[in-house]
Amino acid sequence: MAEVIVALDLPSGSDALRLLDRLPDVRWVKVGSILMTREGPDLVRVLTERGLRVFLDLKWHDIPNTVAEAVTAARELEVSMATVHALGGAAMMEAAAAAAGGRLGLVGVTVLTSHDPASYARAVGRGEVELADEVARLSAEAVRSGLAGVVCSPQEVALVRRRIGAEAWIVVPGIRNRSDPRHDQARASAPADAVTAGATHLVVGRPILHASEPGDAFRSFVEEAQCVRS
Ligand code: C5P
């Protein structure tokens, strides 16, 4: 089974809190750069005071000391999970993991899903790059550096699970029930398929945020995510 994390991709904190009033069963929420920049840590405090686990998705990529201090600040905010870029390197990830001290699950972003092989190869100054291999390589580096797990697309879950062993977290966005519109997620996956491949956390935004009955939509994702043993 996997946890379902609701991505609070909404314009304001009051919109997010109104949605959460309609989702009494939710346990995990994701706060990203937009909501964090607009509302700041006060919103995170309101969410944790409601008993929610917060996934702070700010994708840190900086020198080790700066990232470690940001992780310390997130830990003080009682965030449960946060992201760093695996491309920040082993020293950065090791410093981040040390600052987390096991009290906050740090996950490494591997290759952004906005990249295609050509744009990624250009960004890192290499010739041809097989993106799945690169995701697997960066996942192994992230876990070796002490992170709790990684974020990857549904397509790479099985490969990443083989590379990083049974225990590490695999956080997967791009989740859709079979009847949901895919929006801009070109490589979407059904919850059961992602969990069968090895996902531990599923990130779901628009299929819940845009549903006429968000509570029913959330429950249908949870039911499917829990029907499968990972
Ligand atoms: O609305 P939807 O379910 O597509 O939202 C998915 C969430 O996961 C969004 O917050 C998006 O920013 C995030 N995400 C993603 N792909 C990644 C990393 C994060 O869709 N590779």
Side-chain angles (χ1 to χ4, degrees):
M1 63 170 269
E3 293 283 347
V4 174
I5 304 176
V6 177
L8 296 178
D9 295 328
L10 291 162
S12 72
S14 54
D15 289 321
L17 296 177
R18 253 195 311 278
L19 172 78
L20 290 170
D21 287 339
R22 303 180 69 188
L23 298 174
D25 305 326
V26 73
R27 288 153 45 105
W28 278 89
V29 291
K30 181 170 90 82
V31 174
S33 321
I34 299 171
L35 205 49
M36 191 65 179
T37 304
R38 193 159 277 142
E39 303 288 351
D42 283 349
L43 175 66
V44 174
R45 289 192 194 95
V46 169
L47 297 170
T48 56
E49 278 162 15
R50 285 186 172 209
L52 294 164
R53 294 188 182 193
V54 175
F55 171 18
L56 188 61
D57 184 19
L58 301 182
K59 298 186 179 69
W60 292 306
H61 185 167
D62 208 320
I63 59 172
N65 181 65
T66 301
V67 172
E69 292 293 333
V71 171
T72 300
R75 208 181 72 188
E76 288 165 4
L77 257 184
E78 298 183 15
V79 158
S80 297
M81 194 192 305
T83 40
V84 300
H85 269 285
L87 272 174
M92 186 203 80
M93 291 191 281
E94 284 164 11
R103 303 231 304 275
L104 149 65
L106 281 179
V107 286
V109 175
T110 54
V111 176
L112 293 171
T113 44
S114 48
H115 275 305
D116 60 23
S119 74
Y120 187 78
R122 183 172 171 185
V124 295
R126 279 164 48 188
E128 239 167 68
V129 181
E130 176 52 60
L131 291 187
D133 292 345
E134 190 66 355
V135 169
R137 182 187 75 78
L138 288 167
S139 297
E141 184 76 349
V143 172
R144 210 168 24 241
S145 303
L147 300 196
V150 300
V151 183
C152 67
S153 86
Q155 254 70 43
E156 292 122 17
V157 181
L159 174 67
V160 168
R161 179 54 77 204
R162 286 197 294 279
R163 280 294 284 274
I164 66 176
E167 298 303 319
W169 290 353
I170 302 183
V171 180
V172 184
I175 299 296
R176 295 290 182 271
N177 277 320
R178 290 177 215 288
S179 57
D180 289 327
R182 299 196 160 211
H183 307 106
D184 50 358
Q185 296 286 9
R187 299 185 295 159
S189 164
D193 296 342
V195 179
T196 303
T200 55
H201 298 76
L202 308 179
V203 179
V204 187
R206 288 162 291 182
I208 293 172
L209 307 184
H210 295 176
S212 55
E213 293 297 338
D216 293 347
F218 173 73
R219 272 188 295 277
S220 79
F221 281 101
V222 171
E223 276 161 23
E224 199 178 329
Q226 291 186 341
C227 278
V228 191
R229 273 187 71 83
S230 51

